[in-house]
């Protein structure tokens, strides 16, 4: 079992920045690739980004590429999502998730563990 707790969400104006954190506990954090997903009201959950076990590889949805950056600190069992140049369409509940899959990290069904989410609201 892996327990995940997100933090860092909030209300920010368009163009602003936020950094989300996801703290993990339970099984060995470095065994898992980590992903961020988001879900806006009335919309399906969508992939935001993923980071490999070592942190050496990252992948992003086209909608956030160049604006969002993932990183992880395996010593602290924490993964981060730095969000810059935020837009109103980034407003959503953001979830972190853990997977032992070796590829296709954009597929939410491959993630066995999920946090409760942290709300990000971007005002125009």
């Amino acid at each position: 079992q892996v327990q995940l707790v997100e933090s860092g969400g909030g209300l920010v104006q368009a163009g602003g920045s936020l950094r989300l954190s996801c703290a993990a506990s339970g099984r060995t954090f470095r065994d898992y690739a980590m992903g961020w997903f988001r879900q806006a009201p009335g919309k399906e959950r969508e992939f935001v980004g993923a980071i490999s076990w070592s942190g050496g590889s990252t992948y992003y949805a086209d909608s956030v590429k160049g604006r969002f950056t993932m990183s992880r600190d395996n010593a602290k069992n924490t993964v981060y999502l730095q969000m810059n140049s935020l837009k109103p369409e980034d407003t959503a509940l953001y979830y972190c998730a853990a997977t032992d899959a070796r590829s296709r990290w954009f597929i939410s069904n491959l993630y066995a563990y999920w946090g409760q989410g942290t709300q990000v609201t971007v005002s125009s």
Side-chain angles (χ1 to χ4, degrees):
Q1 286 285 338
V2 176
Q3 293 78 42
L4 302 172
V5 179
E6 303 95 335
S7 62
L11 173 64
V12 64
Q13 288 189 333
S17 298
L18 282 174
R19 188 176 81 154
L20 306 184
S21 299
C22 173
S25 60
R27 296 188 64 180
T28 308
F29 178 65
R30 64 178 178 270
D31 288 345
Y32 296 89
M34 299 296 295
W36 284 96
F37 291 78
R38 66 186 182 185
Q39 187 166 20
K43 294 187 177 182
E44 293 187 355
R45 185 166 52 191
E46 66 173 350
F47 171 75
V48 174
I51 189 167
S52 62
W53 301 267
S54 66
S57 298
T58 52
Y59 304 90
Y60 301 99
D62 288 343
S63 59
V64 306
K65 201 172 294 183
R67 299 188 297 123
F68 290 11
T69 303
M70 286 188 69
S71 60
R72 66 189 294 165
D73 185 338
N74 286 344
K76 296 182 178 180
N77 288 358
T78 302
V79 63
Y80 304 97
L81 181 66
Q82 177 67 44
M83 305 186 296
N84 299 329
S85 302
L86 282 162
K87 304 175 181 180
E89 51 263 44
D90 294 319
T91 295
L93 188 61
Y94 282 71
Y95 299 91
C96 72
T99 180
D100 60 4
R102 295 184 177 275
S103 62
R104 300 185 298 167
W105 293 333
F106 56 91
I107 299 175
S108 61
N109 288 346
L110 295 180
Y111 290 79
Y113 305 104
W114 292 81
Q116 293 299 307
T118 185
Q119 179 67 39
V120 171
T121 303
V122 184
S123 63
S124 57

